[in-house]
Amino acid sequence: MKLHLKVWRQKNKNDKGRMVSYEANNISEHMSFLEMLDVVNDDLIKKGDEPIAFDHDCREGICGACSMVINGVPHGPEKGTTTCQLHMRKFKDGDTIFIEPWRAKAFPVVKDLLVDRSAFDRIIQAGGYVSINTGGAPDGNALPIPKVDADLAMDAATCIGCGACVAACKNASAMLFVSAKVSHLALLPQGVVEKKERVRKMVNAMDKEGFGNCTNQYECEAACPKEISVNFITRLNREFIAS
């Protein structure tokens, strides 16, 4: 395939930034989106041009680092899929593809498509943990946990902290991320002891970072590569009010 790319280029957070056009040639439909960008970068390096900066790590849909907006959609057109797991067969020969970074006050651009998502780290540091001495790994059946609670906790724990929910929300709200982290701990007996203190600290940290509030339009759930339910936001609000 031959593709026409419109890529956001920005030297640093103080640079104004701009869209730049590139041609992606000889792209196989079996390539992932990041492999396609690798090919483009190889061509740029051969020409002596600056390659496009983008974040990635595992390329297996686990780490959430591959954060970019593709044709206006975080992680691209494939539902429940990260950018690194998006394949070029979702596009057609001759397509024009717009590629941009996450756009949120709390996620400042570092360079090109790479943004600083350390705001999420600070929210987790505020309370997203269990501070008890658990000792060695207990037997899997030692703590009786209802299957409904265990399943819900696992659903929440699948959040990879990529920030797609923030990028999709018109308010740049981080409530889906925070609600998933609060819920998966509050649902389990190990996390119950600190749940009131935890939710207050994490919500306060979220507000301090400059994330917006939720207005219940569900863009976050639609964009989430792990399809985290907005029902966890309901649980977050309930936990916060109860605290």
Side-chain angles (χ1 to χ4, degrees):
M1 293 187 292
K2 180 177 181 179
L3 302 165
H4 310 288
L5 307 183
K6 305 285 187 180
V7 184
W8 183 259
R9 302 303 306 265
Q10 185 172 340
K11 292 180 180 179
N12 52 55
K13 65 179 181 179
N14 298 318
D15 184 36
K16 187 177 181 180
R18 68 201 186 285
M19 298 298 286
V20 178
S21 297
Y22 297 101
E23 299 296 324
N25 299 309
N26 299 317
I27 301 300
S28 167
E29 64 177 5
H30 302 299
M31 287 181 179
S32 73
F33 199 86
L34 296 189
E35 286 172 331
M36 180 274 293
L37 287 179
D38 288 338
V39 170
V40 173
N41 275 343
D42 283 344
D43 289 340
L44 289 175
I45 291 169
K46 288 174 184 176
K47 295 175 184 176
D49 295 333
E50 184 78 15
I52 301 164
F54 61 92
D55 205 358
H56 64 94
D57 189 13
C58 73
R59 299 202 177 197
E60 294 178 351
I62 298 170
C63 71
C66 56
S67 50
M68 60 185 74
V69 177
I70 303 166
N71 286 344
V73 181
H75 290 299
E78 182 75 356
K79 185 174 175 61
T81 305
T82 53
T83 300
C84 64
Q85 294 289 288
L86 174 68
H87 286 84
M88 298 312 296
R89 54 182 169 266
K90 291 297 175 181
F91 303 91
K92 301 188 297 294
D93 183 39
D95 276 357
T96 297
I97 306 174
F98 290 82
I99 312 171
E100 302 170 82
W102 286 173
R103 296 193 181 279
K105 180 182 178 181
F107 290 159
V109 172
V110 176
K111 185 178 182 180
D112 298 339
L113 306 175
L114 177 64
V115 300
D116 180 358
R117 294 175 300 152
S118 58
F120 272 8
D121 297 331
R122 290 187 288 273
I123 292 172
I124 293 297
Q125 289 164 2
Y129 51 83
V130 175
S131 58
I132 58 173
N133 295 321
T134 57
D139 181 80
N141 297 318
L143 287 174
I145 301 170
K147 188 176 188 307
V148 172
D149 290 346
D151 288 347
L152 278 174
M154 179 60 73
D155 289 346
T158 59
C159 171
I160 56 177
C162 67
C165 50
V166 176
C169 179
K170 66 180 184 181
N171 302 327
S173 173
M175 289 191 73
L176 190 67
F177 165 76
V178 176
S179 68
K181 299 306 180 184
V182 165
S183 296
H184 96 259
L185 291 174
L187 282 161
L188 299 175
Q190 297 95 328
V192 168
V193 176
E194 296 175 292
K195 71 175 187 175
K196 290 185 177 180
E197 182 182 7
R198 176 184 303 112
V199 69
R200 286 197 302 269
K201 286 183 175 180
M202 293 183 73
V203 169
N204 287 337
M206 175 182 69
D207 291 342
K208 183 180 178 181
E209 293 293 341
F211 292 104
N213 204 359
C214 174
T215 47
N216 300 310
Q217 294 186 338
Y218 297 6
E219 295 100 330
C220 54
E221 182 181 291
C224 177
K226 298 304 177 182
E227 301 182 280
I228 305 293
S229 172
V230 292
N231 291 335
F232 288 117
I233 296 179
T234 305
R235 183 177 295 276
L236 170 68
N237 288 332
R238 188 162 60 244
E239 293 284 354
F240 185 72
I241 291 169
S243 75

